[in-house]
Amino acid sequence: MKNMLLLALVVALAVIPLFTSKGADFGGADGKAEAVINEISPGYTPWLESIWEPPSGEVESLLFVVQGALGAGFIGYCLGYFKGRRKRED
């Protein structure tokens, strides 16, 4: 029951902003940092360029999501492994 309540809370936290902040820009930290840098120093030129740029924003989003899913899977695996090891020791 406690887990279902936590799951419902997480889903609510993810969904409520979509309805309460209609038309809001859900951009990432990179875009906000770039805007602040351009505001502070309009003539700033980066001293390092990316080695590879994704061909589109969708591909960039896909890679970001895959990276997050792999990280979450790794963390979940480690948590399960250590929990199982502790159960086996007891």
Side-chain angles (χ1 to χ4, degrees):
M1 182 66 185
K2 186 177 174 183
N3 289 340
M4 294 304 287
L5 184 63
L6 287 173
L7 181 63
L9 181 64
V10 168
V11 170
L13 286 174
V15 172
I16 287 174
L18 297 175
F19 294 106
T20 59
S21 302
K22 288 184 178 179
D25 182 24
F26 290 103
D30 292 343
K32 290 186 179 189
E34 184 178 348
V36 170
I37 289 171
N38 285 333
E39 183 181 315
I40 294 171
S41 179
Y44 176 78
T45 56
W47 55 273
L48 184 65
E49 293 292 328
S50 299
I51 296 172
W52 178 73
E53 291 279 335
S56 68
E58 288 82 11
V59 173
E60 187 176 354
S61 296
L62 172 70
L63 293 174
F64 185 74
V65 168
V66 168
Q67 177 186 3
L70 288 174
F74 178 76
I75 290 171
Y77 174 79
C78 287
L79 289 174
Y81 175 78
F82 288 118
K83 185 176 179 178
R85 194 168 84 178
R86 182 178 296 162
K87 262 188 177 176
R88 192 174 22 172
E89 290 173 358
D90 290 340

Coordinates of all heavy atoms in Angstrom, one line a residue:
M1 N 0.8 -1.2 0.0 CA 0.0 0.0 0.0 C 0.9 1.3 0.0 O 0.6 2.2 -0.7 CB -0.9 -0.1 1.2 CG -1.9 1.1 1.3 SD -3.0 1.0 0.0 CE -3.9 2.5 0.2
K2 N 1.9 1.2 0.8 CA 2.8 2.4 0.9 C 3.5 2.7 -0.4 O 3.6 3.8 -0.9 CB 3.9 2.1 2.0 CG 4.7 3.3 2.3 CD 5.7 2.9 3.4 CE 6.7 4.0 3.7 NZ 7.6 3.6 4.7
N3 N 3.9 1.6 -1.2 CA 4.5 1.8 -2.5 C 3.6 2.3 -3.5 O 4.0 3.2 -4.3 CB 5.1 0.4 -2.9 CG 6.3 0.0 -2.1 OD1 7.0 0.9 -1.5 ND2 6.6 -1.2 -2.2
M4 N 2.3 1.9 -3.4 CA 1.3 2.4 -4.4 C 1.1 3.9 -4.1 O 0.9 4.7 -5.1 CB 0.0 1.6 -4.3 CG 0.2 0.2 -4.7 SD 0.8 0.0 -6.4 CE -0.6 0.5 -7.3
L5 N 1.1 4.3 -2.9 CA 0.9 5.7 -2.6 C 2.0 6.5 -3.1 O 1.9 7.6 -3.7 CB 0.7 5.9 -1.0 CG 0.4 7.3 -0.6 CD1 -0.9 7.7 -1.1 CD2 0.4 7.3 1.0
L6 N 3.3 6.0 -2.9 CA 4.4 6.7 -3.4 C 4.4 6.8 -5.0 O 4.8 7.8 -5.5 CB 5.7 6.0 -2.9 CG 6.1 6.2 -1.5 CD1 7.3 5.3 -1.1 CD2 6.3 7.7 -1.2
L7 N 4.0 5.7 -5.6 CA 3.9 5.7 -7.1 C 2.9 6.7 -7.5 O 3.2 7.4 -8.5 CB 3.6 4.3 -7.6 CG 3.5 4.1 -9.1 CD1 4.8 4.4 -9.7 CD2 3.0 2.7 -9.4
A8 N 1.8 6.8 -6.9 CA 0.7 7.7 -7.2 C 1.2 9.2 -7.1 O 1.0 10.1 -7.9 CB -0.5 7.5 -6.4
L9 N 2.0 9.4 -6.0 CA 2.6 10.7 -5.8 C 3.6 11.1 -6.9 O 3.6 12.2 -7.4 CB 3.2 10.7 -4.4 CG 3.9 12.1 -4.0 CD1 2.8 13.1 -3.9 CD2 4.6 11.9 -2.7
V10 N 4.4 10.2 -7.3 CA 5.4 10.4 -8.3 C 4.7 10.7 -9.7 O 5.0 11.7 -10.4 CB 6.3 9.2 -8.5 CG1 7.2 9.4 -9.8 CG2 7.3 9.1 -7.3
V11 N 3.6 10.0 -10.0 CA 2.9 10.2 -11.2 C 2.2 11.6 -11.1 O 2.2 12.3 -12.1 CB 1.9 9.1 -11.4 CG1 0.9 9.4 -12.6 CG2 2.6 7.8 -11.8
A12 N 1.7 11.9 -10.0 CA 1.0 13.2 -9.8 C 2.0 14.3 -10.0 O 1.7 15.4 -10.6 CB 0.3 13.3 -8.5
L13 N 3.2 14.2 -9.5 CA 4.2 15.2 -9.6 C 4.7 15.4 -11.1 O 5.1 16.5 -11.5 CB 5.4 14.9 -8.7 CG 5.3 15.1 -7.2 CD1 6.5 14.6 -6.5 CD2 5.0 16.6 -6.9
A14 N 4.6 14.3 -11.8 CA 5.0 14.4 -13.2 C 3.9 15.0 -14.1 O 4.1 15.7 -15.1 CB 5.4 13.0 -13.7
V15 N 2.6 14.7 -13.7 CA 1.5 15.1 -14.6 C 0.9 16.4 -14.3 O 0.6 17.2 -15.2 CB 0.4 14.0 -14.5 CG1 -0.9 14.4 -15.2 CG2 0.9 12.7 -15.1
I16 N 0.9 16.8 -13.0 CA 0.3 18.1 -12.6 C 0.9 19.3 -13.3 O 0.2 20.2 -13.8 CB 0.3 18.2 -11.1 CG1 -0.8 17.2 -10.5 CG2 0.0 19.6 -10.6 CD1 -0.8 17.2 -9.0
P17 N 2.2 19.4 -13.4 CA 2.8 20.5 -14.1 C 2.4 20.7 -15.6 O 2.3 21.8 -16.1 CB 4.3 20.3 -14.0 CG 4.5 19.5 -12.8 CD 3.3 18.6 -12.8
L18 N 2.1 19.5 -16.2 CA 1.6 19.6 -17.6 C 0.3 20.3 -17.7 O 0.0 20.9 -18.8 CB 1.5 18.2 -18.2 CG 2.8 17.4 -18.2 CD1 2.6 16.0 -18.7 CD2 3.8 18.1 -19.2
F19 N -0.6 20.2 -16.7 CA -1.9 20.9 -16.8 C -1.8 22.3 -16.1 O -2.6 23.2 -16.6 CB -2.9 20.0 -16.1 CG -3.2 18.7 -16.8 CD1 -2.7 17.5 -16.3 CD2 -3.9 18.7 -18.0 CE1 -2.9 16.3 -16.9 CE2 -4.1 17.5 -18.6 CZ -3.6 16.3 -18.1
T20 N -1.0 22.5 -15.1 CA -1.0 23.8 -14.5 C -0.1 24.8 -15.2 O -0.3 26.0 -15.0 CB -0.5 23.6 -13.0 OG1 0.8 23.1 -13.0 CG2 -1.5 22.8 -12.2
S21 N 0.8 24.3 -15.9 CA 1.8 25.3 -16.6 C 1.7 25.1 -18.1 O 2.6 24.9 -18.8 CB 3.2 25.0 -16.2 OG 3.4 25.1 -14.8
K22 N 0.5 25.3 -18.6 CA 0.2 25.2 -20.1 C 1.0 26.3 -20.8 O 1.0 27.4 -20.4 CB -1.2 25.3 -20.4 CG -2.0 24.1 -20.0 CD -3.4 24.1 -20.4 CE -4.1 22.9 -20.0 NZ -5.5 22.9 -20.4
G23 N 1.7 25.9 -21.9 CA 2.5 26.8 -22.6 C 3.8 27.1 -22.1 O 4.6 28.0 -22.6
A24 N 4.2 26.5 -21.0 CA 5.5 26.7 -20.4 C 6.6 26.1 -21.2 O 6.3 25.1 -21.9 CB 5.5 26.2 -18.9
D25 N 7.7 26.6 -21.1 CA 8.9 26.1 -21.8 C 9.6 25.1 -20.9 O 10.1 25.4 -19.8 CB 9.8 27.2 -22.2 CG 11.0 26.7 -23.0 OD1 10.9 25.6 -23.6 OD2 12.1 27.3 -23.0
F26 N 9.5 23.8 -21.3 CA 10.1 22.8 -20.4 C 11.5 22.5 -21.0 O 11.9 21.3 -21.3 CB 9.3 21.5 -20.4 CG 8.0 21.7 -19.7 CD1 6.8 21.8 -20.3 CD2 8.0 21.7 -18.3 CE1 5.6 22.0 -19.6 CE2 6.9 21.8 -17.6 CZ 5.7 22.0 -18.2
G27 N 12.3 23.5 -21.2 CA 13.7 23.3 -21.7 C 14.6 22.8 -20.6 O 14.3 22.7 -19.5
G28 N 15.8 22.4 -21.1 CA 16.8 21.9 -20.2 C 17.7 22.9 -19.6 O 17.6 24.1 -19.9
A29 N 18.6 22.4 -18.8 CA 19.6 23.3 -18.1 C 20.6 23.9 -19.1 O 21.0 25.1 -18.9 CB 20.3 22.6 -17.0
D30 N 20.9 23.2 -20.1 CA 21.8 23.7 -21.1 C 21.3 25.0 -21.8 O 22.1 26.0 -22.0 CB 22.1 22.7 -22.2 CG 22.9 21.5 -21.6 OD1 23.5 21.6 -20.5 OD2 22.9 20.4 -22.3
G31 N 20.1 25.0 -22.2 CA 19.5 26.1 -22.8 C 19.4 27.3 -21.9 O 19.7 28.5 -22.3
K32 N 19.1 27.1 -20.6 CA 19.0 28.2 -19.7 C 20.4 28.7 -19.4 O 20.6 30.0 -19.3 CB 18.4 27.7 -18.4 CG 16.9 27.5 -18.5 CD 16.2 27.1 -17.2 CE 14.7 26.9 -17.5 NZ 14.0 26.8 -16.3
A33 N 21.4 27.9 -19.3 CA 22.8 28.3 -19.1 C 23.2 29.1 -20.3 O 23.9 30.2 -20.1 CB 23.7 27.1 -18.9
E34 N 22.9 28.7 -21.5 CA 23.3 29.4 -22.7 C 22.7 30.8 -22.7 O 23.3 31.8 -23.1 CB 22.9 28.6 -23.9 CG 23.4 29.3 -25.2 CD 23.0 28.4 -26.4 OE1 22.6 27.3 -26.2 OE2 23.1 28.9 -27.5
A35 N 21.4 30.9 -22.3 CA 20.7 32.2 -22.3 C 21.4 33.1 -21.3 O 21.5 34.3 -21.6 CB 19.2 32.0 -21.9
V36 N 21.7 32.6 -20.1 CA 22.4 33.5 -19.1 C 23.7 33.9 -19.6 O 24.1 35.1 -19.4 CB 22.5 32.7 -17.8 CG1 23.4 33.4 -16.8 CG2 21.1 32.5 -17.2
I37 N 24.5 33.0 -20.2 CA 25.8 33.4 -20.7 C 25.7 34.5 -21.8 O 26.4 35.5 -21.8 CB 26.6 32.2 -21.3 CG1 27.0 31.3 -20.1 CG2 27.8 32.6 -22.1 CD1 27.5 29.9 -20.6
N38 N 24.7 34.3 -22.7 CA 24.5 35.4 -23.7 C 24.0 36.7 -23.1 O 24.4 37.7 -23.6 CB 23.5 34.9 -24.7 CG 24.1 33.8 -25.7 OD1 25.3 33.8 -25.9 ND2 23.3 32.9 -26.2
E39 N 23.3 36.6 -22.0 CA 22.9 37.9 -21.3 C 24.0 38.6 -20.7 O 24.2 39.8 -20.7 CB 21.8 37.5 -20.3 CG 21.2 38.7 -19.6 CD 20.2 38.3 -18.6 OE1 19.3 37.4 -18.9 OE2 20.2 38.8 -17.5
I40 N 24.9 37.8 -20.0 CA 26.1 38.4 -19.3 C 27.1 38.9 -20.3 O 27.6 40.0 -20.1 CB 26.7 37.3 -18.4 CG1 25.7 37.0 -17.2 CG2 28.0 37.8 -17.8 CD1 26.1 35.8 -16.4
S41 N 27.4 38.0 -21.3 CA 28.5 38.4 -22.2 C 28.0 38.1 -23.6 O 28.2 37.0 -24.1 CB 29.7 37.6 -21.9 OG 30.8 37.9 -22.8
P42 N 27.4 39.0 -24.3 CA 26.8 38.8 -25.6 C 27.8 38.3 -26.7 O 27.5 37.6 -27.6 CB 26.1 40.1 -26.0 CG 26.0 40.9 -24.8 CD 27.1 40.4 -23.9
G43 N 29.1 38.7 -26.6 CA 30.1 38.4 -27.6 C 30.9 37.1 -27.2 O 31.9 36.9 -27.9
Y44 N 30.4 36.4 -26.3 CA 31.1 35.2 -25.8 C 31.2 34.1 -26.9 O 30.2 33.8 -27.5 CB 30.5 34.6 -24.6 CG 31.1 33.4 -24.1 CD1 32.3 33.4 -23.4 CD2 30.6 32.1 -24.3 CE1 32.9 32.2 -22.9 CE2 31.2 30.9 -23.9 CZ 32.3 31.0 -23.2 OH 32.9 29.8 -22.8
T45 N 32.4 33.6 -27.1 CA 32.5 32.5 -28.1 C 33.0 31.3 -27.3 O 34.0 31.4 -26.5 CB 33.4 32.8 -29.2 OG1 34.7 33.2 -28.7 CG2 32.9 33.9 -30.1
P46 N 32.4 30.1 -27.4 CA 32.9 29.0 -26.6 C 34.3 28.6 -27.0 O 34.7 28.7 -28.2 CB 31.9 27.8 -27.0 CG 30.8 28.5 -27.7 CD 31.2 29.8 -28.2
W47 N 35.1 28.2 -26.0 CA 36.5 27.8 -26.3 C 36.6 26.4 -26.7 O 37.7 25.9 -27.1 CB 37.4 28.1 -25.1 CG 36.9 27.5 -23.8 CD1 36.0 28.0 -23.0 CD2 37.3 26.3 -23.3 NE1 35.9 27.2 -21.9 CE2 36.7 26.1 -22.1 CE3 38.2 25.3 -23.7 CZ2 36.8 24.9 -21.3 CZ3 38.4 24.1 -23.0 CH2 37.7 24.0 -21.8
L48 N 35.5 25.6 -26.7 CA 35.6 24.2 -27.0 C 34.3 23.9 -27.7 O 33.2 24.3 -27.3 CB 35.7 23.3 -25.8 CG 35.9 21.8 -26.0 CD1 37.2 21.5 -26.7 CD2 35.9 21.1 -24.7
E49 N 34.4 23.2 -28.8 CA 33.2 22.7 -29.6 C 33.0 21.2 -29.3 O 33.9 20.5 -29.1 CB 33.4 23.0 -31.1 CG 33.5 24.4 -31.4 CD 32.1 25.2 -31.3 OE1 31.1 24.5 -31.4 OE2 32.2 26.4 -30.9
S50 N 31.7 20.8 -29.4 CA 31.4 19.4 -29.3 C 32.0 18.6 -30.4 O 32.1 19.1 -31.6 CB 29.9 19.2 -29.3 OG 29.3 19.9 -28.3
I51 N 32.4 17.4 -30.1 CA 33.0 16.5 -31.1 C 32.0 16.1 -32.1 O 32.2 16.1 -33.3 CB 33.6 15.3 -30.5 CG1 34.8 15.7 -29.6 CG2 34.1 14.3 -31.5 CD1 35.4 14.6 -28.7
W52 N 30.7 15.8 -31.6 CA 29.6 15.4 -32.5 C 28.4 16.0 -32.0 O 28.1 16.1 -30.9 CB 29.5 13.8 -32.4 CG 28.4 13.3 -33.2 CD1 28.4 13.1 -34.5 CD2 27.2 12.8 -32.7 NE1 27.2 12.6 -34.9 CE2 26.4 12.3 -33.8 CE3 26.6 12.6 -31.4 CZ2 25.2 11.8 -33.7 CZ3 25.4 12.1 -31.3 CH2 24.6 11.7 -32.4
E53 N 27.6 16.5 -33.0 CA 26.3 17.1 -32.7 C 25.2 16.1 -33.2 O 25.3 15.7 -34.4 CB 26.1 18.4 -33.4 CG 27.0 19.5 -32.9 CD 26.4 20.2 -31.7 OE1 25.2 20.1 -31.5 OE2 27.2 20.7 -30.9
P54 N 24.2 15.8 -32.4 CA 23.1 15.0 -32.9 C 22.4 15.6 -34.1 O 22.3 16.9 -34.2 CB 22.2 14.9 -31.7 CG 23.0 15.2 -30.6 CD 24.0 16.2 -31.0
P55 N 22.0 14.8 -35.1 CA 21.4 15.4 -36.3 C 20.1 16.2 -36.0 O 19.8 17.1 -36.8 CB 21.1 14.2 -37.2 CG 21.2 13.0 -36.3 CD 22.0 13.4 -35.1
S56 N 19.4 16.0 -34.9 CA 18.2 16.7 -34.7 C 17.9 16.7 -33.2 O 18.5 16.0 -32.4 CB 17.0 16.1 -35.4 OG 16.7 14.8 -34.9
G57 N 17.0 17.5 -32.8 CA 16.6 17.6 -31.4 C 16.0 16.3 -30.9 O 16.1 15.9 -29.7
E58 N 15.2 15.6 -31.8 CA 14.6 14.4 -31.4 C 15.7 13.3 -31.1 O 15.5 12.5 -30.1 CB 13.7 13.8 -32.5 CG 12.4 14.6 -32.6 CD 12.6 15.9 -33.5 OE1 13.7 16.0 -34.1 OE2 11.7 16.8 -33.5
V59 N 16.7 13.2 -31.9 CA 17.8 12.3 -31.7 C 18.5 12.6 -30.3 O 18.8 11.7 -29.6 CB 18.8 12.2 -32.8 CG1 20.0 11.4 -32.5 CG2 18.1 11.8 -34.1
E60 N 18.7 13.9 -30.1 CA 19.3 14.3 -28.9 C 18.5 13.9 -27.7 O 19.0 13.4 -26.7 CB 19.5 15.8 -28.9 CG 20.3 16.4 -27.7 CD 20.5 17.9 -27.8 OE1 20.2 18.4 -28.9 OE2 21.0 18.4 -26.9
S61 N 17.1 14.1 -27.8 CA 16.2 13.7 -26.7 C 16.3 12.2 -26.5 O 16.3 11.7 -25.4 CB 14.8 14.1 -27.0 OG 14.7 15.5 -27.0
L62 N 16.3 11.4 -27.6 CA 16.3 10.0 -27.6 C 17.6 9.5 -26.8 O 17.5 8.7 -25.9 CB 16.3 9.4 -29.0 CG 16.6 7.9 -29.0 CD1 15.4 7.1 -28.4 CD2 16.8 7.4 -30.4
L63 N 18.7 10.1 -27.2 CA 20.0 9.7 -26.5 C 19.9 10.1 -25.0 O 20.4 9.3 -24.2 CB 21.2 10.4 -27.2 CG 21.4 9.9 -28.6 CD1 22.5 10.8 -29.2 CD2 21.8 8.5 -28.6
F64 N 19.3 11.2 -24.7 CA 19.2 11.6 -23.3 C 18.4 10.6 -22.5 O 18.7 10.2 -21.4 CB 18.6 13.0 -23.2 CG 18.6 13.5 -21.8 CD1 19.7 14.0 -21.2 CD2 17.4 13.6 -21.1 CE1 19.7 14.5 -19.9 CE2 17.3 14.1 -19.9 CZ 18.5 14.5 -19.2
V65 N 17.2 10.2 -23.1 CA 16.3 9.2 -22.5 C 17.0 7.9 -22.3 O 16.9 7.2 -21.3 CB 15.0 9.1 -23.3 CG1 14.2 8.0 -22.8 CG2 14.2 10.4 -23.1
V66 N 17.7 7.4 -23.3 CA 18.4 6.1 -23.3 C 19.5 6.2 -22.2 O 19.6 5.2 -21.4 CB 19.0 5.8 -24.6 CG1 20.0 4.6 -24.5 CG2 18.0 5.5 -25.6
Q67 N 20.2 7.3 -22.1 CA 21.2 7.4 -21.0 C 20.5 7.4 -19.6 O 21.0 6.7 -18.7 CB 21.9 8.8 -21.2 CG 22.9 9.1 -20.1 CD 23.4 10.5 -20.2 OE1 23.0 11.3 -21.1 NE2 24.4 10.8 -19.4
G68 N 19.4 8.0 -19.5 CA 18.7 8.0 -18.2 C 18.1 6.6 -17.9 O 18.2 6.1 -16.7
A69 N 17.6 5.9 -18.9 CA 17.1 4.6 -18.7 C 18.2 3.6 -18.3 O 18.1 2.8 -17.4 CB 16.4 4.1 -19.9
L70 N 19.3 3.7 -19.0 CA 20.5 2.8 -18.6 C 21.0 3.1 -17.2 O 21.3 2.2 -16.5 CB 21.6 3.0 -19.6 CG 21.4 2.5 -21.0 CD1 22.5 2.8 -22.0 CD2 21.2 1.0 -21.0
G71 N 21.0 4.4 -16.8 CA 21.4 4.7 -15.5 C 20.5 4.2 -14.4 O 20.9 3.6 -13.4
A72 N 19.2 4.3 -14.7 CA 18.1 3.9 -13.8 C 18.2 2.3 -13.7 O 18.1 1.8 -12.6 CB 16.8 4.3 -14.2
G73 N 18.4 1.7 -14.8 CA 18.5 0.2 -14.8 C 19.7 -0.2 -14.0 O 19.7 -1.2 -13.3
F74 N 20.8 0.4 -14.2 CA 22.1 0.1 -13.4 C 21.9 0.3 -11.9 O 22.2 -0.6 -11.1 CB 23.2 0.9 -13.9 CG 24.5 0.7 -13.2 CD1 25.2 -0.5 -13.4 CD2 25.0 1.6 -12.2 CE1 26.4 -0.7 -12.8 CE2 26.1 1.3 -11.5 CZ 26.9 0.2 -11.8
I75 N 21.2 1.4 -11.6 CA 21.0 1.6 -10.1 C 20.0 0.6 -9.6 O 20.2 0.1 -8.5 CB 20.5 3.1 -9.9 CG1 21.6 4.1 -10.2 CG2 19.9 3.3 -8.5 CD1 21.1 5.5 -10.2
G76 N 19.0 0.3 -10.3 CA 18.0 -0.7 -9.9 C 18.7 -2.1 -9.7 O 18.4 -2.8 -8.8
Y77 N 19.5 -2.4 -10.7 CA 20.2 -3.7 -10.6 C 21.1 -3.8 -9.4 O 21.1 -4.8 -8.6 CB 21.1 -3.9 -11.9 CG 21.9 -5.2 -11.8 CD1 21.4 -6.4 -12.0 CD2 23.3 -5.1 -11.4 CE1 22.2 -7.6 -11.9 CE2 24.1 -6.2 -11.3 CZ 23.5 -7.5 -11.6 OH 24.3 -8.6 -11.5
C78 N 21.8 -2.7 -9.1 CA 22.7 -2.7 -7.9 C 21.9 -2.8 -6.7 O 22.3 -3.5 -5.7 CB 23.6 -1.4 -7.9 SG 24.9 -1.4 -9.2
L79 N 20.8 -2.1 -6.6 CA 20.0 -2.1 -5.4 C 19.5 -3.5 -5.2 O 19.5 -4.1 -4.0 CB 18.9 -1.1 -5.4 CG 19.3 0.4 -5.3 CD1 18.0 1.2 -5.5 CD2 19.9 0.6 -4.0
G80 N 19.0 -4.2 -6.2 CA 18.5 -5.5 -6.1 C 19.6 -6.5 -5.8 O 19.4 -7.4 -5.0
Y81 N 20.7 -6.3 -6.4 CA 21.8 -7.2 -6.1 C 22.2 -7.2 -4.6 O 22.4 -8.2 -4.0 CB 23.0 -6.9 -7.0 CG 24.3 -7.7 -6.7 CD1 24.4 -9.0 -7.1 CD2 25.3 -7.1 -5.9 CE1 25.5 -9.7 -6.9 CE2 26.4 -7.9 -5.7 CZ 26.5 -9.2 -6.1 OH 27.6 -9.9 -5.8
F82 N 22.4 -6.0 -4.1 CA 22.8 -5.8 -2.7 C 21.7 -6.3 -1.7 O 22.0 -6.8 -0.7 CB 23.3 -4.4 -2.4 CG 24.6 -4.1 -3.1 CD1 24.7 -3.1 -4.0 CD2 25.8 -4.8 -2.7 CE1 25.9 -2.8 -4.6 CE2 27.0 -4.6 -3.3 CZ 27.1 -3.6 -4.3
K83 N 20.5 -6.0 -2.1 CA 19.4 -6.5 -1.2 C 19.3 -8.0 -1.2 O 19.2 -8.6 -0.2 CB 18.1 -5.9 -1.7 CG 16.9 -6.3 -0.8 CD 15.6 -5.6 -1.3 CE 14.5 -6.0 -0.4 NZ 13.3 -5.4 -0.8
G84 N 19.5 -8.6 -2.4 CA 19.5 -10.1 -2.5 C 20.7 -10.7 -1.7 O 20.6 -11.7 -1.1
R85 N 21.8 -10.0 -1.8 CA 23.0 -10.5 -1.1 C 22.8 -10.5 0.4 O 23.2 -11.4 1.1 CB 24.2 -9.7 -1.5 CG 25.5 -10.3 -1.1 CD 26.7 -9.7 -1.8 NE 27.1 -8.5 -1.0 CZ 28.1 -7.7 -1.2 NH1 28.8 -8.0 -2.3 NH2 28.4 -6.7 -0.5
R86 N 22.2 -9.4 0.8 CA 22.0 -9.2 2.3 C 21.0 -10.3 2.8 O 21.1 -10.9 3.8 CB 21.4 -7.8 2.6 CG 21.2 -7.6 4.1 CD 20.7 -6.3 4.5 NE 21.7 -5.3 4.1 CZ 21.5 -4.0 4.0 NH1 20.3 -3.5 4.2 NH2 22.5 -3.2 3.7
K87 N 19.9 -10.6 2.0 CA 18.9 -11.6 2.3 C 19.6 -13.0 2.4 O 19.3 -13.8 3.3 CB 17.8 -11.7 1.3 CG 16.6 -10.9 1.7 CD 15.5 -11.2 0.7 CE 14.3 -10.5 1.1 NZ 13.2 -10.7 0.1
R88 N 20.5 -13.2 1.5 CA 21.2 -14.5 1.4 C 22.1 -14.7 2.7 O 22.2 -15.8 3.2 CB 22.0 -14.6 0.2 CG 22.5 -16.0 -0.1 CD 23.2 -16.1 -1.4 NE 23.7 -14.7 -1.8 CZ 24.4 -14.5 -2.9 NH1 24.8 -15.4 -3.6 NH2 24.8 -13.3 -3.2
E89 N 22.7 -13.6 3.1 CA 23.6 -13.7 4.3 C 22.8 -13.9 5.6 O 23.3 -14.4 6.5 CB 24.4 -12.4 4.4 CG 25.5 -12.3 3.3 CD 26.2 -10.9 3.3 OE1 25.8 -10.1 4.2 OE2 27.1 -10.7 2.5
D90 N 21.6 -13.4 5.6 CA 20.8 -13.5 6.8 C 20.2 -14.9 7.0 O 20.2 -15.8 6.4 CB 19.6 -12.5 6.8 CG 20.1 -11.1 7.0 OD1 21.3 -10.9 7.5 OD2 19.4 -10.1 6.7

